[in-house]
Amino acid sequence: MTATTVFTARALLLDMDGTLVNSDASVERVWRRWADRQGLDGDEVIGVVHGRQGYASMAILLPHRPMAENHADNARMLAEETADTEGVVPVPGAPEFLASLSGLPHALVTSADVGLSTARMAAAGLALPEVRVTAESVGASKPDPEGFLKGAAELGIAPADCVAFEDSGAGIAAARAAGMRVVGIGPRAAAHGPDVVVDDLTRVRVEQGAEPGTLRLTIG
């Protein structure tokens, strides 16, 4: 029997790629082409890019390249990724999970920009949360906690009262640095120390808590 974890929180902060949306096929196509152009190993590149903004991944993979060039290259990559939605699908359970959050405090916190997040959520048939923190909203990429801290601030909830949902090492580190508990989603998450990890969102139930203003999360 699988163990069940119960959290009480006041708000949920949700990553997008790998958490709500399975965009791995698109990410791999676009970033492997980039790896070929740079003469880099595709597997090494894919091991770095999940969860980070593109320019931050490039800074790790090409440490001697000027950051201005990384930002310019990142803009081109975002355009490629936004145009390539083939195979983008919801993570199992995501439609029902998001529907259950209607009227409850939650926000999207993604390393994608507005265009990319809009395209991928639409391709997966998912509605965008009303509160969104995207690449344009922050000055630093995950694993910096800025995005999660901004999401909590926009909801008016203390970070310690938030639970983050993440799939990547960079994202889990960002949520941890923000002082949040973390639900890891999918196979990438387990290696990075979330509080609990599940295969997908079919294993998560959210409802009003017993005390006013609280949420009860049943995971597992």
Side-chain angles (χ1 to χ4, degrees):
M1 179 178 290
T2 302
T4 298
T5 300
V6 177
F7 287 151
T8 299
R10 292 187 180 276
L12 307 184
L13 299 180
L14 315 174
D15 174 53
M16 182 183 71
D17 292 301
T19 300
L20 299 174
V21 170
N22 183 343
S23 56
D24 284 2
S26 173
V27 170
E28 291 223 2
R29 282 193 297 271
V30 171
W31 280 96
R32 285 187 184 279
R33 288 197 298 268
W34 181 86
D36 288 344
R37 292 195 296 269
Q38 305 302 325
L40 298 174
D41 178 78
D43 290 340
E44 178 188 357
V45 169
I46 296 303
V48 169
V49 299
H50 290 292
R52 293 181 172 85
Q53 292 191 44
Y55 74 85
S57 297
M58 294 170 189
I60 293 171
L61 293 161
L62 298 172
H64 303 298
R65 191 164 79 162
M67 189 57 76
E69 191 172 341
N70 291 337
H71 280 286
D73 206 0
N74 183 48
R76 291 188 290 269
M77 292 293 285
L78 283 168
E80 282 190 53
E81 290 185 280
T82 302
D84 184 353
T85 57
E86 183 180 353
V88 173
V89 295
V91 166
E96 297 82 3
F97 174 71
L98 285 174
S100 77
L101 300 185
S102 178
L104 303 179
H106 67 286
L108 188 73
V109 180
T110 177
S111 292
D113 66 359
V114 169
L116 181 57
S117 58
T118 301
R120 284 188 174 160
M121 291 289 280
L126 300 176
L128 281 161
E130 185 174 325
V131 178
R132 300 184 287 276
V133 178
T134 61
E136 297 93 338
S137 309
V138 296
S141 170
K142 298 173 185 177
D144 190 283
E146 182 186 359
F148 282 112
L149 292 172
K150 184 161 188 175
E154 291 199 12
L155 293 171
I157 304 294
D161 290 327
C162 297
V163 171
F165 285 70
E166 268 286 0
D167 73 301
S168 69
I172 291 168
R176 284 278 193 216
M180 299 174 184
R181 291 161 291 168
V182 187
V183 178
I185 304 295
R188 281 190 292 270
H192 302 288
D195 292 278
V196 61
V197 62
V198 289
D199 291 339
D200 55 47
L201 291 166
T202 64
R203 307 289 297 279
V204 181
R205 188 170 75 254
V206 182
E207 54 198 346
Q208 291 277 8
E211 296 182 17
T214 65
L215 308 176
R216 177 185 168 90
L217 285 70
T218 305
I219 304 147

